[in-house]
Amino acid sequence: MKSITRIHWKLVLPLVLLAGTVILVFFSLWTKDPGMISVPHRSNESCPVTPDHYHGDDMKFVTSYCNSPFQPVTGEEGNVPPGYKLMSVHVVIRHGDRAPMPNKNPAFKLNLNCKITGEILNKAPVMRDYVATMKQNGAKLQSKFQFGLFPDNVNCQTAQLTSLGTLQHINNGAFLKQRYNDKSTWTPPDAGEILVFSTARSRTFHSAMAFLYGYLPKFDFSALKLKTEPNDMFCSTEQFECLCPRMLRLRAAIVRKYKAVVDATKLKQDIDRQIGELFHVGQTEILPLKGIMDFAMAHICHNKTLPRNGEICMDTKLVKDTVNLLHESEKTILHMADYQKLSRLQMLPLLIKIAGRMQELLAGLNKVKFVLYSGHDTTVRALATALGFFDGVWPPYASRIVFELYSKTTNEASLFYVRFLYNGKNVTHYATFCMGYTVDGFCPLSHFVQFVQSDAFTDFKATSYHEACKTSF
């Protein structure tokens, strides 16, 4: 019996030790944060990921979205061969850098300072005069505008323009001042020759004010003609049916197709899994690609450490994957006929107004020389698509599309031309109605007018915007 008992314990003891080990391992995993169990760190970066990791060559395509205001603004605006006279300028901008968009989940919050103080005043002395000018004008104009003339909060409100965003548009305005106003061939516009349109968001209004300060530092803001548009596409509800049935159907179809394109990729599934585990959110709470990029870029553009949860961090690989997938998805839907039609319907009201103002100026029916439209990334994206030069890369902060109207006098008559510039690059030759017709980088004004008056409706088998909107599928 004793020998049997000794043999029995020799057999049982290893099993008991094994069972104990299993229990200890299970207990250690059970007591850990669930998000820390299955996600090993995915790159060679240390956790947390600090701003030191944002400046490598492999991050340039990501950080270009920030459009740093401490880099010089460049562009071809106003740079034309002799013999061309600038007549008018229309500028469509995306607002500058802002705080993250609203989100109910506290995991996707980031506190930023929107007060213009400290480091940015030292790095950009122009901001001191800007603040003084805006305070001086703001005291006189409290009742004229919906918002104060500039953001001045210690804690940024949701989606509010930041001091970086303010400086971006001061720089944009100052650059165009140097390219247009400081040339002898162009007389700077006075208050009666300027129109400003803004969407009903503080960030677009404040971007417009910063731009105007840079463009005309001594501008009398009390004389400003500003109109707030109720939608992001600058569609005047007084003239157009801005949410017509066909547009709504096209938009719904594109949303479905876009979701199908993105969700089908393994990369999107990997991104969602990583975000879910990092922030402890379910599938229904995970932000769309643009939302993930927006949240990550708020950290990168402001040199903040990327979010972490214990030993798990958002790293630059996740950010690059998100930006790459967003751009690839944009390029995919860019070639869809429905998306092209949607963009045209969205932006034709604005294009019709721009072409109309150009014609009225030449006919002596108005004196407007400079028009500013302060909008959003969706505005710039749709407009660039409608004109034919969007490349699928999401518009950076403070992006600009510029319409220039020129005259050229020959022995026979005065000829009129337009140029389109996207973030400083002449993209006129990409416009669908200018291909094969550009001369010296210019497109005949008549081609632009014909496009907005008739050619743009051909794909809809219609002869007007109203018909194109009402035509059923």
mmCIF file of all heavy atoms in Angstrom, residues 92-93 146 197-201 203-204 227-244 247-248 251 343 345-351 353 373-380 382 465:
data_model
loop_
_atom_site.group_PDB
_atom_site.id
_atom_site.type_symbol
_atom_site.label_atom_id
_atom_site.label_comp_id
_atom_site.label_asym_id
_atom_site.label_seq_id
_atom_site.Cartn_x
_atom_site.Cartn_y
_atom_site.Cartn_z
ATOM 1 N N VAL A 92 -11.677 80.724 -52.317
ATOM 2 C CA VAL A 92 -12.445 79.788 -51.488
ATOM 3 C C VAL A 92 -11.457 79.108 -50.554
ATOM 4 O O VAL A 92 -10.504 78.479 -51.007
ATOM 5 C CB VAL A 92 -13.178 78.741 -52.343
ATOM 6 C CG1 VAL A 92 -13.981 77.785 -51.451
ATOM 7 C CG2 VAL A 92 -14.096 79.413 -53.365
ATOM 8 N N ILE A 93 -11.663 79.252 -49.246
ATOM 9 C CA ILE A 93 -10.712 78.697 -48.283
ATOM 10 C C ILE A 93 -11.373 77.645 -47.399
ATOM 11 O O ILE A 93 -12.586 77.673 -47.180
ATOM 12 C CB ILE A 93 -10.095 79.789 -47.382
ATOM 13 C CG1 ILE A 93 -11.191 80.542 -46.600
ATOM 14 C CG2 ILE A 93 -9.238 80.742 -48.198
ATOM 15 C CD1 ILE A 93 -10.646 81.535 -45.566
ATOM 16 N N GLN A 146 -22.232 87.712 -35.414
ATOM 17 C CA GLN A 146 -22.685 86.663 -34.497
ATOM 18 C C GLN A 146 -21.595 86.282 -33.498
ATOM 19 O O GLN A 146 -21.874 85.913 -32.363
ATOM 20 C CB GLN A 146 -23.120 85.434 -35.302
ATOM 21 C CG GLN A 146 -23.594 84.261 -34.472
ATOM 22 C CD GLN A 146 -23.968 83.061 -35.328
ATOM 23 O OE1 GLN A 146 -23.940 83.134 -36.560
ATOM 24 N NE2 GLN A 146 -24.327 81.955 -34.692
ATOM 25 N N PHE A 197 -18.150 85.864 -47.664
ATOM 26 C CA PHE A 197 -19.181 84.893 -47.316
ATOM 27 C C PHE A 197 -18.565 83.868 -46.374
ATOM 28 O O PHE A 197 -17.425 83.438 -46.562
ATOM 29 C CB PHE A 197 -19.709 84.184 -48.568
ATOM 30 C CG PHE A 197 -20.393 85.088 -49.541
ATOM 31 C CD1 PHE A 197 -19.660 85.773 -50.507
ATOM 32 C CD2 PHE A 197 -21.766 85.281 -49.494
ATOM 33 C CE1 PHE A 197 -20.278 86.627 -51.405
ATOM 34 C CE2 PHE A 197 -22.406 86.130 -50.386
ATOM 35 C CZ PHE A 197 -21.655 86.804 -51.346
ATOM 36 N N SER A 198 -19.323 83.483 -45.379
ATOM 37 C CA SER A 198 -18.846 82.486 -44.412
ATOM 38 C C SER A 198 -19.987 81.550 -44.070
ATOM 39 O O SER A 198 -21.153 81.955 -44.070
ATOM 40 C CB SER A 198 -18.339 83.173 -43.143
ATOM 41 O OG SER A 198 -18.042 82.223 -42.133
ATOM 42 N N THR A 199 -19.660 80.303 -43.789
ATOM 43 C CA THR A 199 -20.682 79.415 -43.252
ATOM 44 C C THR A 199 -20.955 79.832 -41.799
ATOM 45 O O THR A 199 -20.223 80.631 -41.224
ATOM 46 C CB THR A 199 -20.243 77.942 -43.305
ATOM 47 O OG1 THR A 199 -19.094 77.757 -42.460
ATOM 48 C CG2 THR A 199 -19.885 77.523 -44.733
ATOM 49 N N ALA A 200 -21.995 79.279 -41.230
ATOM 50 C CA ALA A 200 -22.454 79.728 -39.905
ATOM 51 C C ALA A 200 -21.700 79.046 -38.765
ATOM 52 O O ALA A 200 -22.289 78.592 -37.787
ATOM 53 C CB ALA A 200 -23.950 79.477 -39.766
ATOM 54 N N ARG A 201 -20.368 78.955 -38.876
ATOM 55 C CA ARG A 201 -19.533 78.352 -37.832
ATOM 56 C C ARG A 201 -18.502 79.386 -37.403
ATOM 57 O O ARG A 201 -17.977 80.145 -38.217
ATOM 58 C CB ARG A 201 -18.795 77.115 -38.325
ATOM 59 C CG ARG A 201 -19.613 76.098 -39.093
ATOM 60 C CD ARG A 201 -20.683 75.425 -38.291
ATOM 61 N NE ARG A 201 -21.027 74.101 -38.765
ATOM 62 C CZ ARG A 201 -21.591 73.824 -39.933
ATOM 63 N NH1 ARG A 201 -21.809 74.791 -40.809
ATOM 64 N NH2 ARG A 201 -21.914 72.578 -40.235
ATOM 65 N N ARG A 203 -15.452 78.932 -36.598
ATOM 66 C CA ARG A 203 -14.125 78.695 -37.160
ATOM 67 C C ARG A 203 -13.982 79.272 -38.570
ATOM 68 O O ARG A 203 -12.891 79.688 -38.967
ATOM 69 C CB ARG A 203 -13.786 77.201 -37.152
ATOM 70 C CG ARG A 203 -14.718 76.290 -37.944
ATOM 71 C CD ARG A 203 -14.361 74.826 -37.688
ATOM 72 N NE ARG A 203 -15.226 73.868 -38.370
ATOM 73 C CZ ARG A 203 -16.390 73.444 -37.903
ATOM 74 N NH1 ARG A 203 -16.852 73.930 -36.747
ATOM 75 N NH2 ARG A 203 -17.095 72.554 -38.562
ATOM 76 N N THR A 204 -15.075 79.280 -39.360
ATOM 77 C CA THR A 204 -14.985 79.853 -40.703
ATOM 78 C C THR A 204 -15.049 81.379 -40.638
ATOM 79 O O THR A 204 -14.352 82.072 -41.380
ATOM 80 C CB THR A 204 -16.099 79.302 -41.605
ATOM 81 O OG1 THR A 204 -17.376 79.450 -40.960
ATOM 82 C CG2 THR A 204 -15.876 77.827 -41.890
ATOM 83 N N LYS A 227 -21.830 88.051 -45.500
ATOM 84 C CA LYS A 227 -23.083 87.300 -45.473
ATOM 85 C C LYS A 227 -22.803 85.886 -44.981
ATOM 86 O O LYS A 227 -21.838 85.247 -45.407
ATOM 87 C CB LYS A 227 -23.723 87.245 -46.862
ATOM 88 C CG LYS A 227 -25.056 86.501 -46.863
ATOM 89 C CD LYS A 227 -25.697 86.498 -48.236
ATOM 90 C CE LYS A 227 -27.031 85.736 -48.203
ATOM 91 N NZ LYS A 227 -27.670 85.672 -49.531
ATOM 92 N N THR A 228 -23.633 85.409 -44.090
ATOM 93 C CA THR A 228 -23.518 84.041 -43.592
ATOM 94 C C THR A 228 -24.407 83.132 -44.421
ATOM 95 O O THR A 228 -25.605 83.392 -44.591
ATOM 96 C CB THR A 228 -23.944 83.958 -42.115
ATOM 97 O OG1 THR A 228 -23.096 84.809 -41.343
ATOM 98 C CG2 THR A 228 -23.818 82.530 -41.601
ATOM 99 N N GLU A 229 -23.807 82.087 -44.973
ATOM 100 C CA GLU A 229 -24.560 81.120 -45.777
ATOM 101 C C GLU A 229 -24.998 79.954 -44.892
ATOM 102 O O GLU A 229 -24.249 79.518 -44.010
ATOM 103 C CB GLU A 229 -23.708 80.595 -46.929
ATOM 104 C CG GLU A 229 -23.378 81.641 -47.987
ATOM 105 C CD GLU A 229 -24.566 82.004 -48.868
ATOM 106 O OE1 GLU A 229 -25.701 81.555 -48.582
ATOM 107 O OE2 GLU A 229 -24.361 82.754 -49.840
ATOM 108 N N PRO A 230 -26.193 79.419 -45.123
ATOM 109 C CA PRO A 230 -26.717 78.361 -44.251
ATOM 110 C C PRO A 230 -26.159 76.973 -44.532
ATOM 111 O O PRO A 230 -26.459 76.030 -43.810
ATOM 112 C CB PRO A 230 -28.224 78.400 -44.543
ATOM 113 C CG PRO A 230 -28.309 78.889 -45.955
ATOM 114 C CD PRO A 230 -27.179 79.863 -46.123
ATOM 115 N N ASN A 231 -25.334 76.825 -45.585
ATOM 116 C CA ASN A 231 -24.809 75.496 -45.908
ATOM 117 C C ASN A 231 -23.341 75.602 -46.300
ATOM 118 O O ASN A 231 -22.831 76.676 -46.619
ATOM 119 C CB ASN A 231 -25.622 74.832 -47.021
ATOM 120 C CG ASN A 231 -25.635 75.680 -48.284
ATOM 121 O OD1 ASN A 231 -24.656 75.737 -49.015
ATOM 122 N ND2 ASN A 231 -26.750 76.373 -48.519
ATOM 123 N N ASP A 232 -22.658 74.443 -46.291
ATOM 124 C CA ASP A 232 -21.212 74.415 -46.503
ATOM 125 C C ASP A 232 -20.806 74.618 -47.952
ATOM 126 O O ASP A 232 -19.623 74.779 -48.250
ATOM 127 C CB ASP A 232 -20.629 73.081 -46.010
ATOM 128 C CG ASP A 232 -20.762 72.919 -44.506
ATOM 129 O OD1 ASP A 232 -21.230 73.877 -43.851
ATOM 130 O OD2 ASP A 232 -20.412 71.837 -43.993
ATOM 131 N N MET A 233 -21.754 74.568 -48.896
ATOM 132 C CA MET A 233 -21.442 74.668 -50.317
ATOM 133 C C MET A 233 -21.730 76.059 -50.882
ATOM 134 O O MET A 233 -21.688 76.256 -52.083
ATOM 135 C CB MET A 233 -22.222 73.603 -51.106
ATOM 136 C CG MET A 233 -21.991 72.191 -50.612
ATOM 137 S SD MET A 233 -20.247 71.711 -50.674
ATOM 138 C CE MET A 233 -20.233 70.244 -49.639
ATOM 139 N N PHE A 234 -22.072 77.015 -50.016
ATOM 140 C CA PHE A 234 -22.368 78.385 -50.424
ATOM 141 C C PHE A 234 -23.466 78.446 -51.478
ATOM 142 O O PHE A 234 -23.395 79.209 -52.434
ATOM 143 C CB PHE A 234 -21.091 79.083 -50.921
ATOM 144 C CG PHE A 234 -20.062 79.235 -49.854
ATOM 145 C CD1 PHE A 234 -18.992 78.358 -49.768
ATOM 146 C CD2 PHE A 234 -20.178 80.228 -48.892
ATOM 147 C CE1 PHE A 234 -18.046 78.474 -48.762
ATOM 148 C CE2 PHE A 234 -19.229 80.354 -47.878
ATOM 149 C CZ PHE A 234 -18.176 79.481 -47.817
ATOM 150 N N CYS A 235 -24.461 77.626 -51.258
ATOM 151 C CA CYS A 235 -25.628 77.613 -52.131
ATOM 152 C C CYS A 235 -26.673 78.560 -51.538
ATOM 153 O O CYS A 235 -27.147 78.345 -50.422
ATOM 154 C CB CYS A 235 -26.193 76.199 -52.246
ATOM 155 S SG CYS A 235 -27.710 76.098 -53.216
ATOM 156 N N SER A 236 -27.002 79.584 -52.276
ATOM 157 C CA SER A 236 -27.975 80.565 -51.802
ATOM 158 C C SER A 236 -29.385 80.005 -51.927
ATOM 159 O O SER A 236 -29.855 79.719 -53.036
ATOM 160 C CB SER A 236 -27.858 81.855 -52.612
ATOM 161 O OG SER A 236 -28.893 82.746 -52.276
ATOM 162 N N THR A 237 -30.047 79.844 -50.809
ATOM 163 C CA THR A 237 -31.413 79.302 -50.824
ATOM 164 C C THR A 237 -32.396 80.270 -51.464
ATOM 165 O O THR A 237 -33.514 79.884 -51.807
ATOM 166 C CB THR A 237 -31.875 78.977 -49.390
ATOM 167 O OG1 THR A 237 -31.719 80.150 -48.572
ATOM 168 C CG2 THR A 237 -31.038 77.847 -48.798
ATOM 169 N N GLU A 238 -31.981 81.524 -51.636
ATOM 170 C CA GLU A 238 -32.847 82.501 -52.292
ATOM 171 C C GLU A 238 -32.921 82.260 -53.793
ATOM 172 O O GLU A 238 -33.879 82.651 -54.452
ATOM 173 C CB GLU A 238 -32.324 83.921 -52.026
ATOM 174 C CG GLU A 238 -32.284 84.292 -50.545
ATOM 175 C CD GLU A 238 -31.458 85.543 -50.302
ATOM 176 O OE1 GLU A 238 -30.951 86.112 -51.301
ATOM 177 O OE2 GLU A 238 -31.326 85.953 -49.139
ATOM 178 N N GLN A 239 -31.886 81.600 -54.350
ATOM 179 C CA GLN A 239 -31.819 81.382 -55.795
ATOM 180 C C GLN A 239 -31.928 79.924 -56.203
ATOM 181 O O GLN A 239 -32.357 79.629 -57.321
ATOM 182 C CB GLN A 239 -30.496 81.938 -56.339
ATOM 183 C CG GLN A 239 -30.302 83.421 -56.142
ATOM 184 C CD GLN A 239 -28.907 83.845 -56.570
ATOM 185 O OE1 GLN A 239 -28.010 84.036 -55.760
ATOM 186 N NE2 GLN A 239 -28.710 83.985 -57.871
ATOM 187 N N PHE A 240 -31.527 79.018 -55.314
ATOM 188 C CA PHE A 240 -31.429 77.618 -55.703
ATOM 189 C C PHE A 240 -32.106 76.703 -54.691
ATOM 190 O O PHE A 240 -32.243 77.050 -53.511
ATOM 191 C CB PHE A 240 -29.953 77.200 -55.815
ATOM 192 C CG PHE A 240 -29.153 78.012 -56.792
ATOM 193 C CD1 PHE A 240 -28.386 79.092 -56.370
ATOM 194 C CD2 PHE A 240 -29.168 77.698 -58.146
ATOM 195 C CE1 PHE A 240 -27.646 79.849 -57.252
ATOM 196 C CE2 PHE A 240 -28.429 78.447 -59.057
ATOM 197 C CZ PHE A 240 -27.678 79.524 -58.600
ATOM 198 N N GLU A 241 -32.502 75.535 -55.188
ATOM 199 C CA GLU A 241 -32.988 74.481 -54.295
ATOM 200 C C GLU A 241 -31.770 73.671 -53.869
ATOM 201 O O GLU A 241 -31.321 72.766 -54.563
ATOM 202 C CB GLU A 241 -34.002 73.589 -55.012
ATOM 203 C CG GLU A 241 -34.686 72.590 -54.087
ATOM 204 C CD GLU A 241 -35.726 71.752 -54.805
ATOM 205 O OE1 GLU A 241 -35.950 71.966 -55.998
ATOM 206 O OE2 GLU A 241 -36.307 70.872 -54.137
ATOM 207 N N CYS A 242 -31.233 74.019 -52.718
ATOM 208 C CA CYS A 242 -29.909 73.538 -52.338
ATOM 209 C C CYS A 242 -29.875 72.073 -51.893
ATOM 210 O O CYS A 242 -28.814 71.461 -51.854
ATOM 211 C CB CYS A 242 -29.343 74.432 -51.241
ATOM 212 S SG CYS A 242 -29.156 76.152 -51.770
ATOM 213 N N LEU A 243 -30.992 71.529 -51.516
ATOM 214 C CA LEU A 243 -31.061 70.103 -51.166
ATOM 215 C C LEU A 243 -32.149 69.455 -52.014
ATOM 216 O O LEU A 243 -33.137 68.949 -51.504
ATOM 217 C CB LEU A 243 -31.352 69.923 -49.672
ATOM 218 C CG LEU A 243 -30.204 70.269 -48.727
ATOM 219 C CD1 LEU A 243 -30.652 70.172 -47.277
ATOM 220 C CD2 LEU A 243 -29.012 69.342 -48.958
ATOM 221 N N CYS A 244 -31.930 69.483 -53.310
ATOM 222 C CA CYS A 244 -32.949 68.967 -54.223
ATOM 223 C C CYS A 244 -32.973 67.442 -54.188
ATOM 224 O O CYS A 244 -32.010 66.800 -53.755
ATOM 225 C CB CYS A 244 -32.706 69.472 -55.632
ATOM 226 S SG CYS A 244 -31.113 68.994 -56.326
ATOM 227 N N MET A 247 -29.973 65.424 -55.678
ATOM 228 C CA MET A 247 -28.757 65.545 -54.887
ATOM 229 C C MET A 247 -28.811 64.638 -53.655
ATOM 230 O O MET A 247 -27.832 63.971 -53.313
ATOM 231 C CB MET A 247 -28.548 66.991 -54.451
ATOM 232 C CG MET A 247 -27.197 67.243 -53.790
ATOM 233 S SD MET A 247 -27.071 68.894 -53.078
ATOM 234 C CE MET A 247 -27.349 69.904 -54.518
ATOM 235 N N LEU A 248 -29.942 64.601 -52.991
ATOM 236 C CA LEU A 248 -30.093 63.758 -51.811
ATOM 237 C C LEU A 248 -29.937 62.286 -52.163
ATOM 238 O O LEU A 248 -29.307 61.522 -51.428
ATOM 239 C CB LEU A 248 -31.450 64.014 -51.152
ATOM 240 C CG LEU A 248 -31.639 65.406 -50.534
ATOM 241 C CD1 LEU A 248 -33.074 65.590 -50.055
ATOM 242 C CD2 LEU A 248 -30.669 65.619 -49.377
ATOM 243 N N ARG A 251 -26.245 61.604 -52.934
ATOM 244 C CA ARG A 251 -25.449 61.611 -51.707
ATOM 245 C C ARG A 251 -25.647 60.315 -50.924
ATOM 246 O O ARG A 251 -24.680 59.733 -50.414
ATOM 247 C CB ARG A 251 -25.814 62.822 -50.851
ATOM 248 C CG ARG A 251 -24.865 63.040 -49.691
ATOM 249 C CD ARG A 251 -25.007 64.433 -49.117
ATOM 250 N NE ARG A 251 -26.302 64.639 -48.489
ATOM 251 C CZ ARG A 251 -26.676 65.788 -47.938
ATOM 252 N NH1 ARG A 251 -25.862 66.826 -47.968
ATOM 253 N NH2 ARG A 251 -27.854 65.913 -47.384
ATOM 254 N N SER A 343 -20.922 66.134 -56.920
ATOM 255 C CA SER A 343 -20.067 67.301 -56.698
ATOM 256 C C SER A 343 -20.502 68.474 -57.567
ATOM 257 O O SER A 343 -20.491 69.629 -57.129
ATOM 258 C CB SER A 343 -18.603 66.940 -56.994
ATOM 259 O OG SER A 343 -18.152 65.950 -56.093
ATOM 260 N N LEU A 345 -23.571 69.061 -58.750
ATOM 261 C CA LEU A 345 -24.830 69.612 -58.224
ATOM 262 C C LEU A 345 -24.587 70.424 -56.952
ATOM 263 O O LEU A 345 -25.215 71.455 -56.726
ATOM 264 C CB LEU A 345 -25.823 68.487 -57.943
ATOM 265 C CG LEU A 345 -26.589 67.914 -59.137
ATOM 266 C CD1 LEU A 345 -27.566 66.841 -58.665
ATOM 267 C CD2 LEU A 345 -27.345 69.011 -59.890
ATOM 268 N N GLN A 346 -23.665 69.955 -56.129
ATOM 269 C CA GLN A 346 -23.371 70.674 -54.891
ATOM 270 C C GLN A 346 -22.738 72.035 -55.151
ATOM 271 O O GLN A 346 -23.051 73.017 -54.471
ATOM 272 C CB GLN A 346 -22.427 69.837 -54.015
ATOM 273 C CG GLN A 346 -23.077 68.632 -53.363
ATOM 274 C CD GLN A 346 -22.068 67.808 -52.578
ATOM 275 O OE1 GLN A 346 -20.922 67.626 -53.010
ATOM 276 N NE2 GLN A 346 -22.468 67.309 -51.425
ATOM 277 N N MET A 347 -21.840 72.117 -56.134
ATOM 278 C CA MET A 347 -21.030 73.324 -56.298
ATOM 279 C C MET A 347 -21.484 74.231 -57.435
ATOM 280 O O MET A 347 -21.000 75.365 -57.534
ATOM 281 C CB MET A 347 -19.561 72.944 -56.523
ATOM 282 C CG MET A 347 -18.929 72.179 -55.375
ATOM 283 S SD MET A 347 -19.240 72.836 -53.694
ATOM 284 C CE MET A 347 -18.714 74.531 -53.836
ATOM 285 N N LEU A 348 -22.385 73.782 -58.292
ATOM 286 C CA LEU A 348 -22.814 74.637 -59.399
ATOM 287 C C LEU A 348 -23.425 75.965 -58.938
ATOM 288 O O LEU A 348 -23.170 77.009 -59.560
ATOM 289 C CB LEU A 348 -23.771 73.883 -60.319
ATOM 290 C CG LEU A 348 -23.070 73.123 -61.446
ATOM 291 C CD1 LEU A 348 -24.018 72.175 -62.150
ATOM 292 C CD2 LEU A 348 -22.447 74.100 -62.447
ATOM 293 N N PRO A 349 -24.219 75.998 -57.878
ATOM 294 C CA PRO A 349 -24.718 77.309 -57.433
ATOM 295 C C PRO A 349 -23.604 78.307 -57.155
ATOM 296 O O PRO A 349 -23.697 79.483 -57.525
ATOM 297 C CB PRO A 349 -25.509 76.956 -56.162
ATOM 298 C CG PRO A 349 -26.001 75.576 -56.410
ATOM 299 C CD PRO A 349 -24.858 74.895 -57.116
ATOM 300 N N LEU A 350 -22.515 77.861 -56.507
ATOM 301 C CA LEU A 350 -21.390 78.750 -56.241
ATOM 302 C C LEU A 350 -20.681 79.126 -57.541
ATOM 303 O O LEU A 350 -20.351 80.298 -57.774
ATOM 304 C CB LEU A 350 -20.404 78.093 -55.277
ATOM 305 C CG LEU A 350 -19.101 78.861 -55.020
ATOM 306 C CD1 LEU A 350 -19.397 80.245 -54.437
ATOM 307 C CD2 LEU A 350 -18.175 78.076 -54.101
ATOM 308 N N LEU A 351 -20.443 78.147 -58.409
ATOM 309 C CA LEU A 351 -19.754 78.420 -59.671
ATOM 310 C C LEU A 351 -20.561 79.366 -60.552
ATOM 311 O O LEU A 351 -19.991 80.236 -61.232
ATOM 312 C CB LEU A 351 -19.472 77.101 -60.403
ATOM 313 C CG LEU A 351 -18.426 76.194 -59.748
ATOM 314 C CD1 LEU A 351 -18.401 74.829 -60.426
ATOM 315 C CD2 LEU A 351 -17.042 76.846 -59.804
ATOM 316 N N LYS A 353 -22.533 81.693 -59.475
ATOM 317 C CA LYS A 353 -22.392 83.028 -58.886
ATOM 318 C C LYS A 353 -21.031 83.636 -59.212
ATOM 319 O O LYS A 353 -20.929 84.836 -59.513
ATOM 320 C CB LYS A 353 -22.590 82.961 -57.368
ATOM 321 C CG LYS A 353 -24.046 82.799 -56.941
ATOM 322 C CD LYS A 353 -24.233 83.040 -55.452
ATOM 323 C CE LYS A 353 -23.606 81.943 -54.626
ATOM 324 N NZ LYS A 353 -23.894 82.108 -53.178
ATOM 325 N N TYR A 373 -14.696 83.369 -49.774
ATOM 326 C CA TYR A 373 -15.662 82.380 -49.285
ATOM 327 C C TYR A 373 -14.933 81.520 -48.257
ATOM 328 O O TYR A 373 -13.991 80.796 -48.597
ATOM 329 C CB TYR A 373 -16.170 81.485 -50.415
ATOM 330 C CG TYR A 373 -16.797 82.230 -51.571
ATOM 331 C CD1 TYR A 373 -16.016 82.693 -52.634
ATOM 332 C CD2 TYR A 373 -18.174 82.457 -51.626
ATOM 333 C CE1 TYR A 373 -16.582 83.358 -53.709
ATOM 334 C CE2 TYR A 373 -18.756 83.127 -52.702
ATOM 335 C CZ TYR A 373 -17.948 83.575 -53.734
ATOM 336 O OH TYR A 373 -18.518 84.246 -54.786
ATOM 337 N N SER A 374 -15.350 81.584 -47.015
ATOM 338 C CA SER A 374 -14.680 80.836 -45.946
ATOM 339 C C SER A 374 -15.503 79.602 -45.588
ATOM 340 O O SER A 374 -16.579 79.712 -44.997
ATOM 341 C CB SER A 374 -14.480 81.727 -44.713
ATOM 342 O OG SER A 374 -13.717 81.062 -43.735
ATOM 343 N N GLY A 375 -14.990 78.442 -45.961
ATOM 344 C CA GLY A 375 -15.749 77.202 -45.793
ATOM 345 C C GLY A 375 -14.965 76.097 -45.119
ATOM 346 O O GLY A 375 -14.162 76.340 -44.209
ATOM 347 N N HIS A 376 -15.158 74.882 -45.608
ATOM 348 C CA HIS A 376 -14.689 73.677 -44.918
ATOM 349 C C HIS A 376 -13.918 72.767 -45.871
ATOM 350 O O HIS A 376 -13.856 73.034 -47.078
ATOM 351 C CB HIS A 376 -15.886 72.926 -44.335
ATOM 352 C CG HIS A 376 -16.720 73.772 -43.425
ATOM 353 N ND1 HIS A 376 -16.575 73.774 -42.057
ATOM 354 C CD2 HIS A 376 -17.711 74.673 -43.692
ATOM 355 C CE1 HIS A 376 -17.438 74.620 -41.505
ATOM 356 N NE2 HIS A 376 -18.133 75.183 -42.484
ATOM 357 N N ASP A 377 -13.372 71.669 -45.321
ATOM 358 C CA ASP A 377 -12.701 70.692 -46.175
ATOM 359 C C ASP A 377 -13.674 70.110 -47.198
ATOM 360 O O ASP A 377 -13.308 69.867 -48.354
ATOM 361 C CB ASP A 377 -12.055 69.582 -45.345
ATOM 362 C CG ASP A 377 -12.968 68.996 -44.279
ATOM 363 O OD1 ASP A 377 -14.147 69.392 -44.188
ATOM 364 O OD2 ASP A 377 -12.494 68.129 -43.509
ATOM 365 N N THR A 378 -14.917 69.897 -46.772
ATOM 366 C CA THR A 378 -15.921 69.360 -47.695
ATOM 367 C C THR A 378 -16.225 70.345 -48.821
ATOM 368 O O THR A 378 -16.534 69.930 -49.946
ATOM 369 C CB THR A 378 -17.216 69.027 -46.935
ATOM 370 O OG1 THR A 378 -17.593 70.165 -46.122
ATOM 371 C CG2 THR A 378 -17.018 67.824 -46.026
ATOM 372 N N THR A 379 -16.132 71.639 -48.550
ATOM 373 C CA THR A 379 -16.330 72.657 -49.575
ATOM 374 C C THR A 379 -15.230 72.557 -50.629
ATOM 375 O O THR A 379 -15.502 72.491 -51.833
ATOM 376 C CB THR A 379 -16.296 74.074 -48.963
ATOM 377 O OG1 THR A 379 -17.084 74.112 -47.773
ATOM 378 C CG2 THR A 379 -16.800 75.100 -49.942
ATOM 379 N N VAL A 380 -13.993 72.561 -50.166
ATOM 380 C CA VAL A 380 -12.838 72.521 -51.067
ATOM 381 C C VAL A 380 -12.820 71.212 -51.852
ATOM 382 O O VAL A 380 -12.556 71.197 -53.067
ATOM 383 C CB VAL A 380 -11.535 72.695 -50.269
ATOM 384 C CG1 VAL A 380 -10.305 72.458 -51.135
ATOM 385 C CG2 VAL A 380 -11.484 74.092 -49.652
ATOM 386 N N ALA A 382 -15.353 69.180 -52.678
ATOM 387 C CA ALA A 382 -16.411 69.121 -53.690
ATOM 388 C C ALA A 382 -16.128 70.078 -54.840
ATOM 389 O O ALA A 382 -16.361 69.754 -56.010
ATOM 390 C CB ALA A 382 -17.763 69.440 -53.055
ATOM 391 N N TYR A 465 -29.890 74.125 -63.915
ATOM 392 C CA TYR A 465 -29.698 73.534 -62.593
ATOM 393 C C TYR A 465 -31.013 72.998 -62.054
ATOM 394 O O TYR A 465 -31.067 71.901 -61.480
ATOM 395 C CB TYR A 465 -29.117 74.582 -61.635
ATOM 396 C CG TYR A 465 -28.865 74.063 -60.238
ATOM 397 C CD1 TYR A 465 -27.721 73.328 -59.957
ATOM 398 C CD2 TYR A 465 -29.768 74.300 -59.208
ATOM 399 C CE1 TYR A 465 -27.477 72.840 -58.677
ATOM 400 C CE2 TYR A 465 -29.536 73.819 -57.930
ATOM 401 C CZ TYR A 465 -28.391 73.090 -57.676
ATOM 402 O OH TYR A 465 -28.169 72.598 -56.409
#
